Amino acid sequence: VYLETYGCQMNVNDTEIAWAILQKNGYVRTKDPDKADVILLVTCSVREKAEQAIWNRLQHLKALKARRQQARLPLRIGILGCMAERLKEEILHREKLVDIVAGPDAYRDLPRLLAVAESGQQGANVLLSLDETYADILPVQTSTGGTTAFVSIMRGCDNMCSYCIVPFTRGRERSRPIASILQEVRMLSDQGVKEVTLLGQNVNSFRDMSEVQFQSAAVPVLSRGFSTVYKAKPGGLRFAHLLDQVSRIDPEMRVRFTSPHPKDFPDEASVLQLIQERHNICKQLHLPAQSGSTRVLEAMRRGYTREAYIELVHHVRECIPGVSLSSDFIAGFCGETEDDHQQTVSLLREVGYNVGFLFAYSMRQKTRAYHRLQDDVPADVKKRRLEELITVFREEAARANEAMVGQSQLVLVEGPSKRSVSELCGRNDSNIKVIFPDAEIEDAAGCKALVRAQPGDYVLVKVTSASSQTLKGVLLCRTTLSRSAACH
C-alpha cells in the first residue's frame, strides 16, 4: 500500500491510524507508487484548491492504472478523509478509476472495502459516527526523525462557523478517553519522542465522558464576551485536566496543542495557568481570529466581537509573559467591505503575531454561508486583500522575531537544514524555525568532551539575525529542558 496525505495535521494523524489498521491486516507499506497494489489518498476539503489537487492527482493515476491493467497487475485506488465524505457520489461516478471511498470515521472498514474492491466492485463507507475516536488504535508514527509527534485527542467540531465544512466532513465533537491518550504519550516518550502536539479541531472543548464518575463535573465557563451556537455541555474531564496529566509524563518532552477556539479560555482558565507554570508546556498559543471586523465575525458565526478577542489577547499576555501567538485569517469573506478588511489589517498590527495562516475565502457546499450568504467579493479583490494581509503579517512577525536577536533560545534539534548540509535546524519554544551551524559544542552537564548536536537534542542558540519566518544563530551548548528551565 502507498499512502499520500493532503491538508491539515489531522490528516497526517489519520494516515497513521489508517496505516496502523492496514498493517494489522497484513499490508506492507511502500514509498514507491509504481510498486503499490493499493494507492490511498488522504484528502482535504477545507478549500477548493485542496480538492483540485486531488482531481489533478487522479488524472496522473489514471495513466498508471491503465498501464497496470495492460500488464495484468491490477491497481486499487482509494480516496480517504474529508473529500470522500463530501463528494462520495461524484468521486465514484466521475472517476471510475476510484475503487474505494472511506470517510474519516470509516478507517476500521478499510480491509473490508479493499476486499470488495478485489472482487471488482466499488466499495464506500462515509458514515459519520457519534463515538468513533480510534481510542484503541495506536497510530504508527510516520513523522521524520521521530523527534516530534502529533496525538489526536478528539474528532469533529460543533462550532458551526458559517464558512466551515469541518462539522459536515468530520462530524460532531467527540473526545478520546484520557487513559488512551496518556498510554500513547507514554509510548512516544519511551520511543524517544521529545515533543508532542495534542491535536483536534477544537482541543480546548475536550471532555472525556468515558467513566461514570466523570459525568458529574460542572458546565465550563466561556471566555468573557464569547458565545456559542450550541448549549454548554455538562460533565466530563476537561482539557486542563488532560494537559496537566500529559505534561507530567516526561519532564524532557515538550507539549503543544492545536487548534483551540478563543471562546474556551475563561478568566480563571487553569489552562493558561498550566502553560505559565509548567516548563515543558510551550509558551505558545494558537488563537484563530479569522477577521478583525465585528460585522464579519458575526456573519462568520464566530461568537465574539473584535473587542472581546483583543481583551482575550491582553488577558493571555498578562497570564503568560512572553507568550508567542499564532492565528488564522480569511480574506474576502461574504459581504466583506474595504473597511472590514482594513479592520483586519489593524488587528494584525495591534496583536503582532509570530506565526500566521492566511487564506482567501473559498465557498464550500453544505456550509451555512453556502445556503444563506453571497460569495460577493470578486476573486481579484480577495487576492489583493490576501496579499495585503500577508505583507502586514510579515512586517509584524519580523518585528516580533527581531526582538529575540541577542537572546539565547532553547531549540529542539530536528535535523539538517534544507538549504545547507553544514547547518542544523530546529524550533524554539515559540515554534519558530531556528537555523544554526552544525558545530562541535560543550554539554551543559559539564563533561569535557565536545559533542555534535543530534536530532532530539535540546541546544541553546544565541540568536544573531531574524526574518518573519526564521531565526539564525550560533550554538552555545547542549542542554536539557529541565536544566534550561532551572536556569531561567
Side-chain angles (χ1 to χ4, degrees):
V1 62
Y2 173 80
L3 288 145
E4 204 166 275
T5 313
Y6 296 79
C8 71
Q9 206 53 59
M10 287 294 288
N11 282 1
V12 175
N13 192 259
D14 276 9
T15 304
E16 293 171 351
I17 288 168
W19 169 227
I21 291 164
L22 291 171
Q23 197 179 32
K24 274 202 180 110
N25 282 270
Y27 281 82
V28 177
R29 192 158 178 185
T30 176
K31 291 190 171 161
D32 182 355
D34 289 329
K35 292 189 176 142
D37 306 298
V38 177
I39 292 178
L40 300 176
L41 309 182
V42 184
T43 64
C44 172
S45 260
V46 168
R47 289 180 303 283
E48 200 174 335
K49 198 172 171 186
E51 286 187 357
Q52 197 50 53
I54 304 295
W55 291 121
N56 295 345
R57 184 70 175 121
L58 285 174
Q59 289 311 309
H60 289 152
L61 294 176
K62 207 174 204 168
L64 177 61
K65 193 166 186 177
R67 284 201 305 275
R68 294 285 286 274
Q69 265 165 340
Q70 281 172 341
R72 304 229 166 140
L73 294 164
L75 172 66
R76 308 285 173 222
I77 293 172
I79 298 288
L80 275 50
C82 292
M83 191 169 161
E85 191 67 48
R86 193 176 95 75
L87 296 170
K88 172 194 149 187
E89 300 301 330
E90 191 178 343
I91 291 165
L92 290 174
H93 296 142
R94 175 168 151 184
E95 299 294 351
K96 288 288 186 229
L97 82 156
V98 174
D99 302 284
I100 71 157
V101 171
D105 290 346
Y107 300 140
R108 288 180 199 273
D109 205 21
L110 281 172
R112 183 190 70 84
L113 292 171
L114 286 165
V116 167
E118 283 296 313
S119 70
Q121 301 172 60
Q122 286 181 314
N125 181 347
V126 293
L127 292 173
L128 284 174
S129 162
L130 289 172
D131 51 19
E132 177 62 89
T133 61
Y134 300 107
D136 58 322
I137 294 168
L138 289 176
V140 180
Q141 292 298 323
T142 53
S143 56
T144 48
T147 56
T148 63
F150 291 84
V151 175
S152 178
I153 66 166
M154 61 189 298
R155 299 179 76 80
C157 187
D158 288 350
N159 288 325
M160 292 291 177
C161 302
S162 61
Y163 53 80
C164 186
I165 189 84
V166 166
F168 306 99
T169 60
R170 287 189 167 270
R172 292 292 103 97
E173 269 176 24
R174 57 238 116 102
S175 300
R176 197 174 149 186
I178 283 181
S180 87
I181 297 167
L182 297 179
Q183 181 196 356
E184 185 178 340
V185 175
R186 280 190 204 99
M187 178 190 82
L188 293 168
S189 169
D190 292 343
Q191 288 172 7
V193 167
K194 286 296 199 305
E195 181 181 292
V196 292
T197 303
L198 305 178
L199 205 57
Q201 243 73 41
N202 190 13
V203 285
N204 50 349
S205 57
F206 175 91
R207 52 198 278 276
D208 175 6
M209 299 284 282
S210 63
E211 296 186 31
V212 174
Q213 70 265 29
F214 301 167
Q215 292 168 17
S216 57
V219 174
V221 189
L222 291 178
S223 308
R224 195 164 37 197
F226 287 70
S227 63
T228 63
V229 294
Y230 59 83
K231 278 202 184 86
K233 304 177 193 82
L237 287 183
R238 297 286 164 172
F239 184 60
H241 181 88
L242 171 67
L243 193 58
D244 170 47
Q245 295 292 306
V246 169
S247 71
R248 290 173 190 272
I249 286 173
D250 181 351
E252 287 302 309
M253 180 190 265
R254 270 182 181 169
V255 181
R256 301 186 190 277
F257 57 89
T258 198
S259 180
H261 190 288
K263 69 181 166 55
D264 297 308
F265 291 106
D267 288 354
E268 71 283 9
S270 44
V271 170
L272 298 180
Q273 279 168 349
L274 274 171
I275 297 171
Q276 194 265 319
E277 286 167 13
R278 298 283 158 87
H279 76 272
N280 62 335
I281 303 179
C282 292
K283 312 289 177 273
Q284 175 241 328
L285 258 194
H286 188 60
L287 283 183
Q290 307 300 359
S291 173
S293 157
T294 294
R295 202 182 66 77
V296 173
L297 289 168
E298 191 176 347
M300 288 177 165
R301 294 180 104 193
R302 288 293 288 168
Y304 52 87
T305 60
R306 175 195 174 96
E307 290 68 31
Y309 181 87
I310 289 171
E311 189 181 334
L312 174 64
V313 168
H314 290 318
H315 175 57
V316 165
R317 284 188 162 147
E318 274 167 29
C319 293
I320 312 165
V323 68
S324 155
L325 297 179
S326 57
S327 195
D328 300 333
F329 287 94
I330 295 170
F333 184 65
C334 308
E336 183 188 73
T337 63
E338 201 56 38
D339 179 57
D340 294 324
H341 166 63
Q342 288 306 325
Q343 288 184 51
T344 303
V345 169
S346 76
L347 183 70
L348 279 166
R349 290 224 185 272
E350 186 167 342
V351 176
Y353 300 95
N354 295 77
V355 177
F357 303 92
L358 301 96
F359 303 100
Y361 175 61
S362 174
M363 175 76 88
R364 314 311 288 134
Q365 282 174 333
K366 292 189 181 175
T367 60
R368 186 181 173 88
Y370 180 79
H371 294 295
R372 305 280 179 92
L373 303 172
Q374 294 296 137
D375 185 7
D376 53 2
V377 179
D380 59 331
V381 176
K382 283 182 189 174
K383 185 169 180 278
R384 172 182 59 77
R385 287 180 186 171
L386 175 62
E387 284 165 1
E388 281 176 25
L389 293 182
I390 289 170
T391 301
V392 171
F393 157 71
R394 285 200 170 138
E395 284 170 10
E396 294 304 321
R399 190 170 295 150
N401 292 348
E402 270 156 21
M404 296 183 207
V405 172
Q407 293 179 3
S408 296
Q409 294 281 321
L410 183 71
V411 176
L412 174 60
V413 181
E414 290 178 356
S417 159
K418 282 182 184 158
R419 300 239 171 120
S420 164
V421 287
S422 63
E423 291 181 317
L424 292 171
C425 121
R427 290 182 183 272
N428 68 357
D429 189 88
S430 303
N431 213 16
I432 297 163
K433 190 183 276 188
V434 185
I435 313 276
F436 48 94
D438 180 5
E440 290 190 324
I441 43 164
E442 287 181 4
D443 189 280
C447 62
K448 294 280 178 263
L450 293 176
V451 292
R452 274 202 130 81
Q454 302 297 322
D457 283 347
Y458 288 105
V459 292
L460 276 179
V461 174
K462 186 171 185 182
V463 180
T464 52
S465 66
S467 71
S468 64
Q469 311 280 307
T470 52
L471 304 172
K472 283 197 157 186
V474 292
L475 264 174
L476 298 178
C477 65
R478 186 170 72 176
T479 184
T480 66
L481 198 50
S482 310
R483 195 180 294 125
S484 171
C487 296
H488 279 275

